[in-house]
Amino acid sequence: MGDSASEGLTLFSPYKMGSFNLSHRVVLAPMARCRAPNEIPQPAMVEYYSQRSTPGGLLIAEATTLSNTSAGCPRVPGIYKDEQVKAWKKVVDAVHAKGAIIFCLLWHAGRASHQVYQPGGGSPISSTNNPISNRWKIPLPDGSQDSFDGIEIHGGHGYLIDQFLKDGINDRTDEYGGSLANRCKFLIQIVQAVVEAIGADKVAVRISPALDFYDATDSDPIGLGLAVIDRLNTLQHKEGSKLAYLHVTRPRFTTYGLVPTEFDEEREAQFMRTLREAYEGTFMASGGFTRELGMEAVASGDADLVSYGRDFISNPDLVLRFKLNAPLNKYIQETFYTDDPVVGYTDYHFLNKESV
């Protein structure tokens, strides 16, 4: 964008996100960490999120199931039972004690699940009866609400809502399939329902129009993104209040290096800029950002907020390291999804005070 309003802004400039006053623009991205046996948040999760909390910082909690059919990988936390809600409250209280803000990412994997996660071993629900191709490996088990500040609705990354949005998957012939308007309907109805329950300013949406994760392809990614944004803008006008933010994953995002991108840097930048200029509200970008790329995105006006994933896993004090332009710990990918409550989870080193 490069407008005058964004000149001089950095990742460390304060930002007013509706009723939330953020002290900086470095956001903890939601990431599955598989440390919640029986779908119940554990004490290690309290420490993990507390470590990454800063006064006025925004955290987005990992993908959280909203029913017993939602899970797409082992040991993910839920929030549909009283014991889960009580366990999450300990996490939220620890984050709030640090002066930070935390949103819950509500998630349903749809066909990106497996019978082992479904009640009675049934088939996962989706917008289609066609299974995911053999290119994707669904991780299998290895044997083993109201306290949040807001909710992010996961409408991307090949999960259930994305399966309705993408014409490469959605083969329905009813009011939820076919045209762009029909394919957007499921998402907008969900957003409307959550807005009615907790208020628009506490609701966020995540989309990934250009990602083909779990075979979630679309013949016109930019058209899909703009169609979703047009409907979100309309909803905001109708409510007389803006949503908390729109969270968009850049085309270059990859998982395990399996997702090739057809977007070069120029096309990618234009893709994100087009969506950013169309959306009437706070725009959060994610996917492969470095400190320098995040600074550029904020300074140019291409993003209001930038979320970081893997670097935040291995650097609980990422905000401080970015401020000092200090070296980062390297993440160990082999420990991302284990059940160990310490190794690769809460044992990454903080900056030595002497080095500061």
Side-chain angles (χ1 to χ4, degrees):
M1 264 183 173
D3 57 38
S4 58
S6 62
E7 289 180 4
L9 295 178
T10 75
L11 285 172
F12 317 112
S13 300
Y15 182 76
K16 185 167 180 57
M17 186 183 78
S19 60
F20 301 103
N21 294 310
L22 306 183
S23 63
H24 59 81
R25 299 163 187 248
V26 180
V27 179
L28 173 68
M31 297 168 288
R33 300 306 314 276
C34 301
R35 262 71 173 191
N38 301 314
E39 294 187 296
I40 299 174
Q42 301 295 303
M45 292 172 61
V46 177
E47 182 177 1
Y48 174 80
Y49 285 103
S50 177
Q51 286 178 339
R52 287 152 184 81
S53 299
T54 55
L58 174 61
L59 290 71
I60 309 171
E62 61 208 85
T64 302
T65 61
L66 43 76
S67 74
N68 64 354
T69 67
S70 299
C73 53
R75 303 182 304 278
V76 292
I79 198 168
Y80 58 93
K81 297 179 180 178
D82 287 344
E83 59 184 331
Q84 296 166 337
V85 174
K86 291 177 181 177
W88 266 122
K89 191 173 187 309
K90 296 177 182 178
V91 175
V92 174
D93 286 347
V95 170
H96 287 167
K98 291 284 190 71
I101 298 152
I102 184 167
F103 272 50
C104 177
L105 177 67
L106 290 185
W107 169 68
H108 196 299
R111 72 171 191 166
S113 182
H114 191 280
Q115 285 89 340
V116 298
Y117 302 122
Q118 301 303 311
S123 297
I125 62 174
S126 179
S127 64
T128 177
N129 289 324
N130 293 324
I132 294 173
S133 69
N134 292 331
R135 175 186 177 200
W136 302 101
K137 178 180 172 64
I138 305 298
L140 302 181
D142 55 11
S144 36
Q145 128 125 282
D146 31 19
S147 57
F148 281 96
D149 295 297
I151 286 174
E152 179 176 301
I153 298 167
H154 204 332
H157 296 194
Y159 297 122
L160 181 61
I161 295 174
D162 207 22
Q163 292 158 26
F164 277 81
L165 292 173
K166 301 285 180 64
D167 63 11
I169 295 179
N170 188 337
D171 55 7
R172 299 175 71 103
T173 57
D174 61 6
E175 61 180 316
Y176 293 97
S179 68
L180 262 177
N182 284 1
R183 286 184 279 124
C184 289
K185 185 176 294 186
F186 185 56
L187 168 62
I188 300 305
Q189 288 179 336
I190 291 172
V191 175
Q192 183 68 59
V194 180
V195 165
E196 290 175 359
I198 64 174
D201 62 333
K202 295 181 179 179
V203 179
V205 177
R206 187 171 202 181
I207 60 172
S208 56
L211 290 192
D212 67 350
F213 197 34
Y214 289 130
D215 296 336
T217 60
D218 194 83
S219 59
D220 181 14
I222 191 64
L224 173 60
L226 290 173
V228 170
I229 286 173
D230 178 64
R231 286 158 178 78
L232 292 178
N233 287 340
T234 298
L235 184 150
Q236 292 181 136
H237 294 159
K238 175 185 173 183
E239 294 294 325
S241 175
K242 293 187 183 300
L243 299 174
Y245 57 85
L246 175 65
H247 193 176
V248 181
T249 310
R250 298 194 301 170
R252 73 172 56 183
F253 171 88
T254 62
T255 297
Y256 310 118
L258 292 176
V259 188
T261 177
E262 298 178 357
F263 283 75
D264 57 32
E265 289 188 10
E266 184 176 345
R267 286 185 63 207
E268 176 187 272
Q270 186 56 50
F271 176 87
M272 293 293 286
R273 189 169 296 123
T274 299
L275 299 185
R276 196 270 188 274
E277 291 176 345
Y279 183 63
E280 299 172 7
T282 297
F283 190 89
M284 184 188 300
S286 68
F289 279 92
T290 61
R291 177 187 186 277
E292 291 71 24
L293 290 174
M295 294 285 275
E296 290 174 8
V298 171
S300 66
D302 286 347
D304 298 306
L305 307 171
V306 180
S307 70
Y308 290 85
R310 298 178 184 190
D311 283 341
F312 235 136
I313 286 178
S314 55
N315 297 275
D317 54 354
L318 185 66
V319 177
L320 175 60
R321 288 177 187 263
F322 275 1
K323 282 183 178 179
L324 300 175
N325 202 13
L328 302 182
N329 297 323
K330 293 183 179 180
Y331 55 77
I332 304 171
Q333 189 163 312
E334 292 75 16
T335 65
F336 279 2
Y337 311 114
T338 73
D339 60 358
D340 195 304
V342 177
V343 177
Y345 193 55
T346 59
D347 64 343
Y348 282 107
H349 296 301
F350 288 76
L351 273 176
N352 188 310
K353 291 183 179 180
E354 294 179 2
S355 67
V356 178

